[in-house]
Amino acid sequence: MTAHDRLVGVVGTGTMGQGIAQVALVAGHPVRLYDAVPGRARAAAESITARLDRLVEKGRMSAEERTLAVARLEPAQTLHELAPAALVVEAVLEQLDAKQDLLRELEEIVTDDCLLATNTSSLSVTAIGGALRVPGRFVGLHFFNPAPLMPLVEVVSGYATDVTAATRAYETARAWGKTPVACADTPGFLVNRIARPFYAEAFAVYEEQGADPATIDAVLRESGGFKMGAFELTDLIGQDVNEAVTRSVWEGFFQDAKFRPSLAQRRLVEAGRLGVKSGQGWYAYGDGEERAEPHTAAPADPPARVTVEGDLENAGELIAMMREAGIEVTQEDEDKGTRIVLPGGGQLVQADGQTSIEFRDVVYFDLAFDYRSATRIALGACQDGNPRTLREAVGLFQALGKEVSVIGDVPGMIVARTVARIIDLAHDALARGVATEEDIDTAMRLGVNYPLGPFEWSRKLGRNWACGLLEELRDRDSSGRCAPSFALLRHSYDPKKWEGSA
């Protein structure tokens, strides 16, 4: 750990550089800021001071603490002023050569025991460190924006990073009040690697004409339990930024279909519709613009009675909810599946990767994080399906207090395919030694605010759920984008089914 009286240097005074400097400063370190552009370091120090003033106004910092912190903050006019630093974090442009040139210069200035770190979010820590004379002391410290508020820090070990350096970086982040997770150097690290399906599946449903952005976002929030939908979140991040991260991860994995970028998002970027910052993205943000509303089905009469075949598995709570709503429920054992049979003979089935058009009379309902607390449910049916079955399905969920969005007949619907693919990438990362199960769950909860970590979700839904759904998606998408990884297949394997065989 870097002792609190040791100097921390920060190179690069943009949003992330200022944020990291503030974190170190509040933790008690003297901090020196450097920027290659004259005057920027001093301006950054003034900006940090102003933020500390606001913390005092809000009662989150005492006036005395603020005075002491400001006294420890110093802009540097040259890199040589960082010579006494115990830790230097660079947060300059995301360009490999720029970072390598800077770190080579720093290496000749600082002491041999100085820890060097990069806040890169998209470049290889190994490649950056490869330019150093002593790459063992170089590590990734990936803070999330805004650094003073976001609790997660990914501590990334490059191929040549020494264990002692990674441990020191990890303990330093923890001493700064952050929640560090350790991970190997892989494209996207943890969060940006495993989060890709959250965006990709939403965009894919849109491209398949399954639903509009507002409806997809509403289903992800109100059924999936996510804080924001994929379209509104990428508008907030910036379409150019989000697409660049996706493309970087895709190229880092040699254009693996699992990380394929979205053509619809590419067109948005090409059109200059970058989201909130440009006034137009998936949504419009100009003055007087009305918020796009999700598709919500008109009221329908609920069925008086239904028959439940099987136990509905992870949707079993619906049985009690239907009874509480006054719907008569008859339960029957069924070895061949689990479904709700409606009065007209149609079937209501949880999303499983198949589509309504493949069956005589089926309406699918999407996965919910919690069916009782969910405020919206998505239903999927083919255009030639039985209108009565769809009306009864809509009425049933409305009787349970849910808004209902009817989407197109897309395999895996919205929440189910998203969660299944997140679980798959998490298992693949674990099997490849990128991080521990605990750190992966922590990273996804804190880094992108998921309601559950992927492994927590996997345990909740059952060991075979994600693999089974993805195998069905694979059969309907020849690109291999949705094929389950070997790691997930191995996890889903149940040795009991082979008991008694030769």
Side-chain angles (χ1 to χ4, degrees), residues 96-419:
L96 179 60
D97 55 351
K99 291 181 183 290
Q100 288 178 328
D101 290 345
L102 168 65
L103 288 160
R104 271 193 295 257
E105 189 174 355
L106 272 171
E107 192 175 33
E108 300 306 315
I109 294 171
V110 297
T111 59
D112 289 344
D113 67 343
C114 178
L115 185 66
L116 296 177
T118 175
N119 185 56
T120 185
S121 61
S122 61
L123 298 176
S124 163
V125 172
T126 301
I128 298 171
L132 296 178
R133 175 174 45 81
V134 186
R137 63 167 166 177
F138 180 67
V139 66
L141 273 177
H142 180 216
F143 289 77
F144 289 75
N145 190 31
L149 298 180
M150 294 294 284
L152 185 71
V153 176
E154 292 177 321
V155 181
V156 186
S157 293
Y159 186 79
T161 301
D162 291 337
V163 173
T164 52
T167 301
R168 186 176 164 196
Y170 185 98
E171 294 299 333
T172 296
R174 186 160 63 178
W176 290 359
K178 297 301 181 182
T179 302
V181 294
C183 65
D185 185 21
T186 182
F189 308 143
L190 285 182
V191 172
N192 281 331
R193 171 180 177 158
I194 296 172
R196 292 351 286 164
F198 179 73
Y199 313 107
E201 295 313 309
F203 298 162
V205 171
Y206 169 76
E207 290 174 338
E208 294 163 19
Q209 299 292 294
D212 60 278
T215 300
I216 296 170
D217 277 352
V219 172
L220 286 168
R221 288 193 314 268
E222 300 170 37
S223 182
F226 294 96
K227 297 297 183 183
M228 298 181 73
F231 296 89
E232 59 188 342
L233 180 55
T234 53
D235 265 358
L236 181 63
I237 294 169
Q239 298 303 330
D240 52 340
V241 174
N242 181 261
E243 202 254 358
V245 172
T246 298
R247 187 169 294 275
S248 173
V249 174
W250 176 61
E251 291 173 350
F253 281 107
F254 306 106
Q255 301 186 354
D256 186 331
K258 285 178 179 287
F259 301 97
R260 186 178 66 202
S262 161
L263 180 59
Q265 188 181 35
R266 174 96 290 259
R267 292 291 178 259
L268 211 63
V269 174
E270 290 174 338
R273 297 188 171 190
L274 307 182
V276 174
K277 63 186 177 184
S278 70
Q280 176 75 53
W282 297 109
Y283 302 109
Y285 297 94
D287 293 339
E289 294 285 353
E290 294 185 5
R291 181 179 175 86
E293 295 295 329
H295 167 78
T296 301
D301 293 331
R305 65 189 63 83
V306 298
T307 298
V308 174
E309 296 181 350
D311 61 3
L312 298 188
E313 297 175 341
N314 58 69
E317 182 69 11
L318 291 175
I319 298 173
M321 292 170 62
M322 287 187 289
R323 286 176 171 150
E324 291 165 11
I327 298 172
E328 181 183 331
V329 179
T330 301
Q331 285 188 260
E332 297 181 357
D333 292 334
E334 177 59 53
D335 294 333
K336 296 181 180 179
T338 175
R339 60 187 69 84
I340 300 171
V341 181
L342 299 165
Q347 299 177 13
L348 187 56
V349 181
Q350 189 184 40
D352 59 7
Q354 301 182 82
T355 57
S356 292
I357 201 170
E358 301 170 55
F359 302 96
R360 185 180 64 83
D361 192 7
V362 167
V363 170
Y364 278 101
F365 65 95
D366 206 352
L367 175 70
F369 170 66
D370 177 75
Y371 283 101
R372 188 170 287 277
S373 63
T375 57
R376 182 177 298 271
I377 293 292
L379 300 179
C382 62
Q383 290 183 345
D384 298 327
N386 186 335
R388 177 179 176 179
T389 299
L390 183 58
R391 284 197 306 273
E392 290 177 341
V394 170
L396 186 152
F397 278 104
Q398 288 176 340
L400 303 186
K402 315 300 181 188
E403 301 276 15
V404 176
S405 291
V406 179
I407 69 170
D409 189 23
V410 292
M413 304 194 72
I414 297 170
V415 180
R417 66 197 278 177
T418 299
V419 171

Side-chain angles (χ1 to χ4, degrees), residues 423-479:
I423 290 172
D424 180 55
L425 291 189
H427 276 279
D428 183 61
L430 176 67
R432 295 179 185 275
V434 176
T436 65
E437 183 175 314
E438 181 181 1
D439 276 357
I440 290 171
D441 275 352
T442 298
M444 303 315 290
R445 285 197 314 270
L446 299 184
V448 276
N449 229 350
Y450 286 179
L452 289 175
F455 294 101
E456 292 171 321
W457 229 321
S458 184
R459 287 189 292 272
K460 177 180 179 179
L461 297 171
R463 66 185 299 137
N464 299 315
W465 178 84
C467 188
L469 190 143
L470 291 176
E471 285 178 324
E472 296 291 352
L473 289 178
R474 175 197 59 199
D475 293 343
R476 290 157 182 79
D477 182 348
S478 60
S479 71

Side-chain angles (χ1 to χ4, degrees), residues 33-57:
L33 291 168
Y34 174 77
D35 197 291
V37 178
R40 280 194 180 172
R42 184 164 298 281
E46 292 171 355
S47 179
I48 293 170
T49 299
R51 284 201 293 273
L52 296 181
D53 290 339
R54 287 194 291 273
L55 291 179
V56 173
E57 292 170 3

